[in-house]
């Protein structure tokens, strides 16, 4: 099949809309269920590239959760700890495959932003992954294949309308890519730049100890950034993006946004949050929203009289600002990546507040000396990759 007609483009008034192969060849994908739209396909094709490259770089099954052409989260498939099962709403007795763990962790990076996401899997989707997806609010999934059981599960989602796309894992795009903006055609070479450990050899700080886990996390950060709308900064821990700051005009705002998301992720592990007494039968999105508000400065919105009864069996104690600051201060071992150089040391200062111990960024600022000096002040290991990763 060479082309596929779409209901409309980015908005309902943008018609006609289609995807097609300009060389006359067949599309490298097959729609197995549903009717994906224009934005769905943008998410699907960007997210597939991310997980394919992440698997190639780390050797681990990889997954991503995309919203509006940027990842809300990405992760590799390591086994879930008991606390992860709890904060990601995984039943204690659920049998999980590595690719299921990868998606659960990718979605768990920022469950609020992943509401209504597009899922991408580097491996064929199995029943364990499909069963988890079935319980989440999601628009669709792309993978190199599906087991019969997984496809049967997914076809029951959204009253049979859930979008399921199979992608040819051997497909390689053309060297040149094109884009029309306001009637003007752009052309550039596709970004085939390979991100691997060879990129991490230029350590510019006094501390040069970069353990294997941090190298892996640098790869997760950089590959995630390669498919995130720029400017962008990504915080990673244990093979999982825990904060993505995308599309900001200022680098420090990227760093703050991603850092706040990383802090939110860590606050979900606070004992007071883990013990919140939710009412029976509460929906996952309602739990996610309640946790987000409870851990924020607007906590009174969920704890006020007449509101807390709707969510909790009993009124929880407030998670105070002092408790939040003390908890976040215990965070450590976080890796931060940036798609372009840090122009000032303030980015390092902000990253440190969220437990940053390792940084990967291109370098090349006229103030590199200041940035390195700030990293040295805290014993942070910083690698200059020499490669910008803008994506638009």
């Amino acid at each position: 099949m060479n082309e596929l007609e779409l209901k409309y483009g980015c908005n309902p008034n943008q018609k006609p809309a289609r995807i097609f192969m300009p060389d006359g060849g067949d599309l490298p994908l097959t729609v197995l269920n549903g009717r994906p739209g224009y934005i769905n396909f943008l998410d699907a094709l960007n997210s597939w590239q991310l997980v394919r490259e992440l698997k190639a770089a780390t050797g681990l099954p990889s997954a991503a959760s995309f919203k509006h052409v940027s990842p809300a989260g990405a992760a590799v498939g390591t086994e879930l700890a008991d606390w992860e099962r709890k904060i990601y709403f995984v039943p204690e007795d659920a049998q999980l495959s590595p690719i299921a763990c990868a998606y659960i962790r990718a979605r768990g990076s920022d469950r609020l932003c992943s509401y209504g996401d597009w899922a991408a899997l580097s491996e064929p989707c199995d029943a364990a992954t499909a069963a988890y997806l079935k319980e989440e609010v999601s628009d669709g999934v792309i993978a190199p294949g599906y087991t019969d059981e997984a496809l049967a599960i997914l076809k029951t989602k959204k009253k049979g309308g859930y979008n399921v796309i199979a992608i040819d894992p051997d497909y390689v795009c053309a060297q040149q890519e094109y884009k029309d903006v306001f009637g003007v055609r752009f052309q550039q070479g596709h970004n085939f730049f390979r991100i691997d450990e060879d990129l991490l050899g230029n350590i510019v700080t006094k501390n040069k100890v970069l353990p294997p886990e941090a190298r892996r996390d640098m790869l997760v950060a950089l590959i995630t950034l390669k498919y995130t709308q720029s400017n962008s900064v990504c915080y990673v821990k244990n093979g999982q993006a825990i904060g993505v700051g995308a599309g900001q005009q200022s680098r420090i705002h990227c760093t703050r946004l991603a850092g706040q998301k990383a802090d939110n992720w860590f606050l979900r592990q606070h004992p007071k949050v883990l013990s919140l007494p939710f009412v029976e039968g509460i929906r996952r999105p309602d739990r996610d929203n309640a946790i987000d508000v409870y851990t924020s400065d607007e906590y009174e919105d969920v704890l006020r009289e007449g509101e807390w009864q709707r969510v909790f069996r009993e009124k929880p104690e407030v998670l105070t600002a002092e408790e939040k600051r003390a908890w976040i201060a215990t965070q450590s071992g976080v890796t931060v990546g940036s798609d372009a150089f840090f122009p000032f040391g303030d980015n390092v200062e902000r990253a440190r507040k969220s437990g940053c111990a390792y940084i990967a960024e291109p370098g090349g600022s006229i103030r590199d000396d200041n940035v390195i000096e700030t990293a040295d002040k805290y014993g942070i290991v910083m690698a200059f990759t020499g490669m910008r990763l803008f994506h638009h």
Side-chain angles (χ1 to χ4, degrees), residues 164-179:
V164 180
I165 295 176
I167 182 83
D168 178 359
D170 298 322
Y171 170 70
V172 178
C173 69
Q175 293 285 329
Q176 296 295 307
E177 58 188 20
Y178 305 86
K179 180 179 182 179

Side-chain angles (χ1 to χ4, degrees), residues 13-234:
N13 64 298
Q14 292 177 269
K15 302 176 182 179
R18 61 174 176 149
I19 60 170
F20 66 98
M21 299 298 288
D23 63 2
D26 289 333
L27 288 165
L29 53 84
T30 304
V31 177
L32 301 180
N33 198 66
R35 189 183 180 187
Y38 189 97
I39 296 174
N40 290 149
F41 277 112
L42 289 176
D43 281 341
L45 294 174
N46 277 284
S47 61
W48 164 249
Q49 292 176 84
L50 190 163
V51 299
R52 179 187 60 181
E53 292 185 31
L54 192 53
K55 166 68 182 297
T58 65
L60 296 169
S62 304
S65 173
F66 256 59
K67 281 288 293 291
H68 295 290
V69 206
S70 280
V76 295
T78 56
E79 186 175 354
L80 297 183
D82 290 342
W83 62 264
E84 287 180 297
R85 285 177 175 257
K86 187 172 183 65
I87 68 173
Y88 303 146
F89 309 130
V90 180
E92 292 181 5
D93 59 348
Q95 299 298 309
L96 301 176
S97 62
I99 191 60
C101 291
Y103 176 69
I104 292 167
R105 301 178 81 226
R107 188 177 180 103
S109 301
D110 187 344
R111 288 188 56 85
L112 213 65
C113 286
S114 285
Y115 181 88
D117 72 338
W118 188 277
L121 312 173
S122 69
E123 315 298 305
C125 181
D126 59 10
T129 311
Y132 189 81
L133 264 170
K134 183 182 177 183
E135 300 304 319
E136 299 289 358
V137 179
S138 171
D139 272 1
V141 57
I142 187 169
Y146 300 83
T147 66
D148 291 342
E149 187 178 0
L151 188 57
I153 293 170
L154 295 174
K155 283 185 174 182
T156 67
K157 186 173 174 63
K158 296 184 75 170
K159 299 180 180 179
Y162 188 64
N163 295 311
V164 180
I165 295 176
I167 182 83
D168 178 359
D170 298 322
Y171 170 70
V172 178
C173 69
Q175 293 285 329
Q176 296 295 307
E177 58 188 20
Y178 305 86
K179 180 179 182 179
D180 289 354
V181 178
F182 197 48
V184 178
R185 178 153 296 185
F186 290 63
Q187 176 182 348
Q188 67 174 353
H190 181 77
N191 190 359
F192 284 108
F193 182 73
R194 181 181 175 86
I195 296 173
D196 56 27
E197 289 201 16
D198 292 341
L199 200 62
L200 310 178
N202 183 21
I203 299 178
V204 296
T205 45
K206 293 177 182 177
N207 186 351
K208 300 185 185 298
V209 179
L210 191 61
E213 295 80 7
R215 290 179 178 273
R216 176 203 59 198
D217 287 355
M218 283 186 174
L219 296 178
V220 173
L222 294 172
I223 293 172
T224 299
L225 291 167
K226 187 179 176 184
Y227 296 99
T228 302
Q229 297 297 298
S230 299
N231 288 325
S232 57
V233 167
C234 180

